[in-house]
């Protein structure tokens, strides 16, 4: 095997822009592709690990047992932000650097939040399925102009949703215990309110918070009870922010009007009762997945790998203490 061996299991790296892999090859990397999929042969993949130095990964679970097979493994780079599938302390103990690609395109997710809201309110999917099946029925929609959109989480995506919704003539209310005051001072187009007020007054609610102990199940029975029966919840954050059992009951009993979601507690949501309801619209965690975002992530993977091998320390190393333990000669000579 060549010395600079690089394994790609990440599902999308190099697929949208083949130049990413070409660039690594030009720089002398022997590239092996073994893409992650639900039915992949894990043993076959892990049998390649003893020869691999660098691993570009999506969500493959890399625990200590997997790491123990990578005798030459020195660098793991996540094609994405979340590294919960990688046991970083174990990698650190084995002198393996872990990196991610922290720059994402939050506006792609904001676009999807609006797409979900408008598709739900204007019944786009029903109308499409109706026409392609040879029919020509009409579907009475709900307008968004003049309605109140409540945004929970006023970070990058939440503010992107606000900007878009403003263009549609919606009234904006927002809740964020951390940056709410700052947003109140900076933007007069968003009324920063407490959570109860947002839940009570919003026609539509967009969830844009990270998953944490605090936000786990944030939209549960109590929150759902406070919403208008006509409320539509849009979730492009994480499935577990919503208590799906409570949401199912509220939707089934028409105590809330709709749930448009890109994310689920379990993905894929095999057997989820939510999928049986007519007032649910869903997509397969595609918020971040655009050609432009893939180019951005791919650029970061290539730049980061080449930087480390070139002796430069990029800022996206998650366990920098490892660097001092790997000889600079290693990166030069493999
Ligand atoms: P961000 O960090 O810029 O913003 C998150 C905001 O939530 C922050 O302002 C924070 O103060 C606020 N917040 C934290 N706890 C809160 C609480 N209890 N109540 C209200 N607000 C709270 O993050 P972002 O880039 O806007 O991303 C938000 C989330 O979107 C991510 O954490 C991720 O879960 C999700 N996401 C989904 C996709 C997708 O493909 N669907 C892609 C990227 C991110």
């Amino acid at each position: 095997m060549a010395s600079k061996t690089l394994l790609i299991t990440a599902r999308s790296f190099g697929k949208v822009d083949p130049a990413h892999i070409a660039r690594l090859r030009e720089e002398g990397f022997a590239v092996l592709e073994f893409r992650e999929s639900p039915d992949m042969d894990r043993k076959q993949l892990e049998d390649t690990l003893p020869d691999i130095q660098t691993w570009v990964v999506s969500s493959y679970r890399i625990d200590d047992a997997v790491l123990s097979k990578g005798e030459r493994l020195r660098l793991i780079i996540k094609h994405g932000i979340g590294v919960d599938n990688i046991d970083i302390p174990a990698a650190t103990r084995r002198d393996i650097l872990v990196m991610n690609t922290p720059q994402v395109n939050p506006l792609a997710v904001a676009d999807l939040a609006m797409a979900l809201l408008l598709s739900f309110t204007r019944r786009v999917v029903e109308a499409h399925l109706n026409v392609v099946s040879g029919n020509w029925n009409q579907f009475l929609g709900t307008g968004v102009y003049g309605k109140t959109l409540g945004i929970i989480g006023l970070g990058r995506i939440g503010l992107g949703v606000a900007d878009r919704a403003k263009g549609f003539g919606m009234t904006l209310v927002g809740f964020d215990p951390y940056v709410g005051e700052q947003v109140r001072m900076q933007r007069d187009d968003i009324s920063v309110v407490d959570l109860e007020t947002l839940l009570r007054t919003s026609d539509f609610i967009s969830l844009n918070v990270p998953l944490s102990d605090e936000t786990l199940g944030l939209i549960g029975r109590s929150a759902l009870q406070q919403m208008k029966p006509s409320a539509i919840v849009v979730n492009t954050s994480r499935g577990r922010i919503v208590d799906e059992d409570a949401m199912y009951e509220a939707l089934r009993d028409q105590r809330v009007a709709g749930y448009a979601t890109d994310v689920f507690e379990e993905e894929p949501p095999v057997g989820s009762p939510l999928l049986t309801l007519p007032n649910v619209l869903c997509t397969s965690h595609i918020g971040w997945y655009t050609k432009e975002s893939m180019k951005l992530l791919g650029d970061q993977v290539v730049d980061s790998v080449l930087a480390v091998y070139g002796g430069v320390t990029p800022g996206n190393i998650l366990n920098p203490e490892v660097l001092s333990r790997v000889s600079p000669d290693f990166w030069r000579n493999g």
Side-chain angles (χ1 to χ4, degrees):
M1 266 270 178
S3 57
K4 292 204 296 189
T5 45
L6 182 142
L7 169 68
I8 301 169
T9 64
R11 288 180 292 267
S12 311
F13 174 69
K15 286 200 168 162
V16 172
D17 188 351
H20 288 134
I21 296 181
R23 202 167 140 219
L24 289 168
R25 289 203 165 108
E26 277 161 25
E27 295 289 337
F29 286 86
V31 175
L32 179 70
E33 294 181 51
F34 199 127
R35 302 288 178 166
E36 292 168 38
S37 71
D39 53 0
M40 71 190 298
D41 185 336
R42 285 165 187 268
K43 180 172 180 317
Q44 204 183 344
L45 164 70
E46 290 178 18
D47 283 348
T48 69
L49 289 179
D51 288 321
I52 300 300
Q53 267 189 358
T54 296
W55 185 353
V56 184
V57 67
S58 289
S59 51
Y60 197 86
R61 182 151 296 285
I62 305 181
D63 56 17
D64 194 51
V66 172
L67 290 169
S68 71
K69 297 177 187 162
E71 287 152 30
R72 300 181 63 226
L73 196 58
R74 281 294 158 267
L75 173 60
I76 296 169
I77 179 156
K78 165 87 182 209
H79 186 250
I81 298 187
V83 283
D84 42 297
N85 58 311
I86 304 170
D87 185 340
I88 297 180
T92 306
R93 283 196 300 276
R94 292 177 182 277
D95 292 347
I96 297 168
L97 283 181
V98 181
M99 305 174 84
N100 65 353
T101 49
Q103 287 173 46
V104 290
N105 180 3
L107 299 184
V109 186
D111 287 346
L112 187 77
M114 291 305 293
L116 283 169
L117 176 61
L118 293 170
S119 301
F120 192 97
T121 53
R122 299 308 309 271
R123 303 175 67 182
V124 171
V125 176
E126 283 166 273
H128 170 83
L129 292 173
N130 182 262
V131 176
V132 296
S133 61
N135 297 302
W136 193 251
N137 297 91
Q138 294 199 300
F139 294 86
L140 186 64
T142 302
V144 299
Y145 180 83
K147 299 282 170 63
T148 298
L149 173 69
I151 301 170
I152 303 184
L154 296 169
R156 294 172 301 174
I157 298 173
L159 292 180
V161 172
D163 291 338
R164 282 152 182 71
K166 196 177 163 188
F168 283 88
M170 292 187 230
T171 299
L172 304 173
V173 298
F175 167 69
D176 190 316
Y178 302 102
V179 301
E181 276 314 307
Q182 197 181 320
V183 172
R184 195 198 301 275
M185 286 191 287
Q186 286 170 353
R187 295 189 59 149
D188 56 12
D189 54 341
I190 303 174
S191 302
V192 178
V193 295
D194 57 47
L195 183 59
E196 290 70 25
T197 306
L198 184 146
L199 295 171
R200 238 180 338 95
T201 57
S202 298
D203 298 299
F204 315 124
I205 294 174
S206 179
L207 306 178
N208 300 111
V209 289
L211 180 62
S212 67
D213 289 346
E214 202 183 39
T215 60
L216 179 76
L218 181 71
I219 304 302
R221 285 195 172 77
S222 155
L224 288 161
Q225 267 160 15
Q226 296 173 67
M227 292 179 195
K228 295 181 182 183
S230 56
I232 294 164
V233 179
V234 177
N235 189 0
T236 54
S237 52
R238 286 290 180 267
R240 285 169 204 271
I241 288 159
V242 169
D243 174 343
E244 288 186 352
D245 291 339
M247 179 60 91
Y248 171 79
E249 287 165 19
L251 290 164
R252 183 196 59 196
D253 302 343
Q254 296 181 2
R255 282 184 280 110
V256 292
Y259 185 42
T261 187
D262 188 38
V263 288
F264 286 88
E265 279 179 9
E266 297 293 337
E267 295 178 2
V270 180
S272 167
L274 285 174
L275 304 182
T276 65
L277 294 173
N279 43 359
V280 169
L281 174 65
C282 53
T283 47
S284 48
H285 207 141
I286 57 170
W288 64 298
Y289 196 53
T290 63
K291 291 173 190 163
E292 294 75 14
S293 299
M294 289 306 100
K295 164 116 181 55
L296 188 63
L297 291 192
D299 285 350
Q300 289 170 77
V301 168
V302 175
D303 291 346
S304 304
V305 170
L306 296 185
V308 170
Y309 276 83
V312 179
T313 308
N316 50 332
I317 296 179
L318 300 170
N319 54 353
E321 60 270 42
V322 168
L323 264 185
S324 61
R325 303 207 297 258
V326 181
S327 149
D329 286 344
F330 173 84
W331 302 110
R332 274 196 292 275
N333 306 324

